[in-house]
Amino acid sequence: MSSAQGISNGNVGDDQGVRDPTTGLVFFELSHEFGHYTPVLPGLKDIQIRRVATHAMHGVLTSHLVTVMHNGTHVNAPLHLAQRGLGVGEIPLDFFFTNGVVVRITKGEWQYIEPADLEAATPSIQKGDVVVINTGWHQGYSDSMEYFGHSPGLSAAAARWLIEREVKMVAIDTASIDHPLATSLAQRHRFIGPHVVELPRRYKKRTGHEVTEDFLDWMPAHRLLAEAGIPTIENVGGGVDGVTGRRCTFHAMPWYWPQGDACIVRFVAILDASGDYRIEKGN
């Protein structure tokens, strides 16, 4: 593959992608930008980045980072919610460089993604796919209660549907695979939550119901997928609209961290219009 100098210019998140002039491969950024002001999941500490060496003083730039790995575009390992599940560094490498599909399932505030939505999605979801779900919610990615607390999420039935199809990984353009009102954002689970105390109040004001009456299980989609050994990616963004409705090859390598519960990733979709691209044989 050509060096970075040989790759044509393209904006991060560009729906048209970035084309390599040598191979013809087109790369699409599916990540949100990461940095000082990355929106942080409510309940987690803010990301801390400081420079420990600068060009002016030391002739080199070095940064120190403190963060929970469940910020920005990140992969959740089965270990996150399944005791004795695989950590990020134990998941087979082929899970993170493989084929799949990006499907549009447009959903609004507090709606569920159901099996019927997945069944009707195009292109069709196949066994062994990485499944990227574009709800349209990535367009509102920000430090806001609406993005984190009002988004749609997978129902338990939808998670079971994906498990039955033996998909390899599930990604979504919201902050959580689960419906936010079924998480610690809106309800108490053991010793944590609710992290956004206004959410259950809003829900009761609009519906007359308590969150805990309508959302009986805590993070059911997360847990079902984790127990089935299926990793998940949250906060998909960038140029995901440019590959929606298409089959793609995906790349999203996490750190080699055997007991890691999650890891920030650079999530990329790759297209090859010619179908001629081959990687090196290793000779």
Side-chain angles (χ1 to χ4, degrees), residues 39-47 67-68 70-71 143-145 148-149 183-187 191-197 199:
V40 173
L41 186 73
L44 302 182
K45 291 184 178 181
D46 201 11
I47 297 166
T67 183
V68 172
H70 297 270
N71 286 321
D143 178 21
S144 68
M145 190 182 302
F148 286 103
T183 73
S184 298
L185 294 181
Q187 57 178 278
F191 303 109
I192 58 175
H195 292 309
V196 185
V197 294
L199 277 181

Side-chain angles (χ1 to χ4, degrees), residues 151-229:
S151 63
L154 281 176
S155 70
R160 293 189 188 97
W161 189 95
L162 291 163
I163 293 166
E164 289 169 1
R165 269 68 182 177
E166 300 181 37
V167 302
K168 187 166 284 187
M169 186 156 52
V170 181
I172 195 167
D173 67 335
T174 63
S176 176
I177 286 289
D178 268 290
H179 194 294
L181 300 183
T183 73
S184 298
L185 294 181
Q187 57 178 278
R188 184 174 180 81
H189 177 72
R190 297 178 182 172
F191 303 109
I192 58 175
H195 292 309
V196 185
V197 294
E198 177 62 18
L199 277 181
R201 294 173 185 166
R202 288 188 181 188
Y203 186 73
K204 185 173 183 178
K205 184 176 181 180
R206 295 188 189 184
T207 67
H209 300 177
E210 299 287 350
V211 164
T212 50
E213 293 174 350
D214 292 350
F215 300 89
L216 302 178
D217 293 329
W218 181 75
M219 300 182 75
H222 261 103
R223 289 189 291 104
L224 287 165
L225 291 167
E227 289 165 1

Side-chain angles (χ1 to χ4, degrees), residues 3 24 30 78 86 95 98 125 133 137 144 164 191 196 201 211 232 262-263 278 283:
S3 66
L30 302 188
L86 294 179
F95 274 55
T98 189
I125 296 169
I133 300 171
W137 213 255
S144 68
E164 289 169 1
F191 303 109
V196 185
R201 294 173 185 166
V211 164
T232 56
C263 190
R278 299 292 185 271
N283 295 336

Side-chain angles (χ1 to χ4, degrees), residues 70 74-92 95-96 167-170 219 221-233 254 257-263:
H70 297 270
H74 65 278
V75 59
N76 298 307
L79 180 62
H80 177 44
L81 279 162
Q83 193 174 24
R84 294 183 293 277
L86 294 179
V88 289
E90 298 173 319
I91 299 168
F95 274 55
F96 300 107
V167 302
K168 187 166 284 187
M169 186 156 52
V170 181
M219 300 182 75
H222 261 103
R223 289 189 291 104
L224 287 165
L225 291 167
E227 289 165 1
I230 299 174
T232 56
I233 295 179
W257 180 18
Q259 292 301 306
D261 57 287
C263 190

Side-chain angles (χ1 to χ4, degrees), residues 259-275:
Q259 292 301 306
D261 57 287
C263 190
I264 298 158
V265 293
R266 186 83 180 263
F267 192 26
V268 179
I270 309 169
L271 299 179
D272 176 21
S274 70

Side-chain angles (χ1 to χ4, degrees), residues 105-107 110-121 125 133 152-162 179 215:
I105 302 177
T106 303
K107 291 289 178 176
W110 291 339
Q111 292 184 333
Y112 267 124
I113 297 164
E114 297 287 5
D117 299 312
L118 298 168
E119 192 74 51
I125 296 169
I133 300 171
L154 281 176
S155 70
R160 293 189 188 97
W161 189 95
L162 291 163
H179 194 294
F215 300 89

Side-chain angles (χ1 to χ4, degrees), residues 2 14 30 64 83 91 101 108 124 140 157 159 189 208 225 229-230 242 246 272 276 280-281 283:
S2 65
D14 187 347
L30 302 188
H64 180 263
Q83 193 174 24
I91 299 168
V101 64
S124 62
H189 177 72
L225 291 167
I230 299 174
R246 305 171 83 172
D272 176 21
D276 295 333
E280 294 292 347
K281 296 180 180 178
N283 295 336

